[in-house]
Amino acid sequence: MVRLRDQVAVVTGASRGIGSRIAVALAREGAAVIAHYSRGAEAAEAVVREITQGGGRAKAVQGDLSNPDEAATMVAAAGTAFGRLDILVNNAGIARDGLILRMRDEDWQAVVATNLNGTFYCIRAALREFIRQRKGRIINIASTAGQAGNVGQANYVAAKAGIIGLTRAVAREVGSRGITVNAVAPGFIAAGMTEGLSAEVTAHYLEQIPLGRPGTADDVAAAVVFLASDEARYMTGQVLNVDGGMVMH
């Protein structure tokens, strides 16, 4: 069963890591995909080729999501390229780690601007279309760090916690319009930001995971596909942890 036939999705930060696998997974289920990227044009085009070679439809679109105008233009590209918008996946994010006493103002501001502000700008732009058609799916990629905290990541944790709060606020605000808004909170995933960690740090995280292994980007993508599908039509304002049990509530 193809769960997203004839739908159109925007995936931010789709050129690498978790975002690239989300884009491919949505396309595999029938969605046409706008694969957003900030700087990795070649990587984004490689994701588009993977989708089109598999029989899907995709287009790479560049944008600085910390700029509200560029975020709106990127979201609007879905309508220009494919005629509509059904699914928004806010995945784009950066990390600039450092202990609080050493954290530079620009590192705090850059992480919040991209991770939290960018998510807000994209949601605001997509809602105009979703409210008009009285249907839409918004899936925000948060993090278990936004629930449990992490040493040396005050900026990243604050932004991801903000995304969780934003998810619930928007879910309450637009639920009556047929729009669902949920978050996926990855734990320790062997992709993207975790690839450069030392063996010692990796071992520390693995000790906290009951399933005893890191997750994969495909594990996260599967949760996103579920939330984008009709199978999740009665779920909104939820945070779905994909973390091997690392953070339990």
Side-chain angles (χ1 to χ4, degrees), residues 74-98:
M74 186 277 301
V75 170
T80 303
F82 302 118
R84 59 183 292 118
L85 176 63
D86 303 281
I87 301 158
L88 170 65
V89 182
N90 288 302
N91 165 77
I94 62 172
R96 293 188 182 177
D97 298 349

Side-chain angles (χ1 to χ4, degrees), residues 12-13 16 36-39 63-66 90-97 103 106-119 141-143 152-160 163 192-193:
T12 70
R16 60 188 175 85
H36 159 266
Y37 67 96
S38 176
R39 289 184 296 274
D64 174 5
L65 301 187
S66 68
N90 288 302
N91 165 77
I94 62 172
R96 293 188 182 177
D97 298 349
M103 185 172 288
E106 52 265 39
D107 290 339
W108 171 273
Q109 291 160 359
V111 169
V112 171
T114 295
N115 298 18
L116 180 56
N117 295 358
T119 296
I141 306 304
S143 171
Q153 287 195 311
N155 48 3
Y156 183 81
V157 169
K160 291 298 187 178
I163 286 172
M193 295 178 185

Side-chain angles (χ1 to χ4, degrees), residues 6-247:
D6 298 328
Q7 296 193 40
V8 177
V10 166
V11 181
T12 70
S15 64
R16 60 188 175 85
I18 290 171
S20 68
R21 303 326 299 165
I22 291 171
V24 170
L26 292 172
R28 197 175 290 135
E29 291 290 341
V33 177
I34 294 293
H36 159 266
Y37 67 96
S38 176
R39 289 184 296 274
E42 289 185 12
E45 291 296 348
V47 172
V48 168
R49 280 196 302 276
E50 181 177 353
I51 290 171
T52 55
Q53 288 171 1
R57 296 182 297 158
K59 179 180 180 180
V61 177
Q62 193 274 341
D64 174 5
L65 301 187
S66 68
N67 180 311
D69 293 333
E70 289 193 34
T73 298
M74 186 277 301
V75 170
T80 303
F82 302 118
R84 59 183 292 118
L85 176 63
D86 303 281
I87 301 158
L88 170 65
V89 182
N90 288 302
N91 165 77
I94 62 172
R96 293 188 182 177
D97 298 349
L99 296 175
I100 288 175
L101 290 177
R102 299 175 186 166
M103 185 172 288
R104 300 179 304 169
D105 292 349
E106 52 265 39
D107 290 339
W108 171 273
Q109 291 160 359
V111 169
V112 171
T114 295
N115 298 18
L116 180 56
N117 295 358
T119 296
F120 168 73
Y121 295 145
C122 289
I123 289 173
R124 185 173 61 184
L127 280 179
R128 294 188 177 96
E129 179 72 9
F130 290 165
I131 289 172
R132 184 187 62 77
Q133 65 196 24
R134 299 190 69 82
K135 186 175 187 293
R137 295 278 191 270
I138 298 172
I139 299 115
N140 301 320
I141 306 304
S143 171
T144 55
Q147 299 167 317
N150 259 351
V151 173
Q153 287 195 311
N155 48 3
Y156 183 81
V157 169
K160 291 298 187 178
I163 286 172
I164 291 172
L166 177 62
T167 297
R168 291 172 172 151
V170 179
R172 287 188 181 276
E173 194 166 313
V174 302
S176 65
R177 307 298 184 95
I179 302 162
T180 67
V181 189
N182 293 288
V184 173
F188 188 76
I189 306 297
M193 295 178 185
T194 66
E195 290 175 341
L197 295 179
S198 68
E200 182 181 4
V201 172
T202 299
H204 168 73
Y205 279 113
L206 291 178
E207 288 172 0
Q208 302 174 52
I209 301 173
L211 292 187
R213 65 169 179 84
T216 68
D218 288 330
D219 291 329
V220 180
V224 171
V225 169
F226 165 68
L227 289 173
S229 75
D230 277 348
E231 294 168 355
R233 62 186 176 273
Y234 198 57
M235 291 177 64
T236 197
Q238 303 304 307
V239 180
L240 193 59
N241 284 13
V242 181
D243 67 348
M246 185 168 68
V247 177

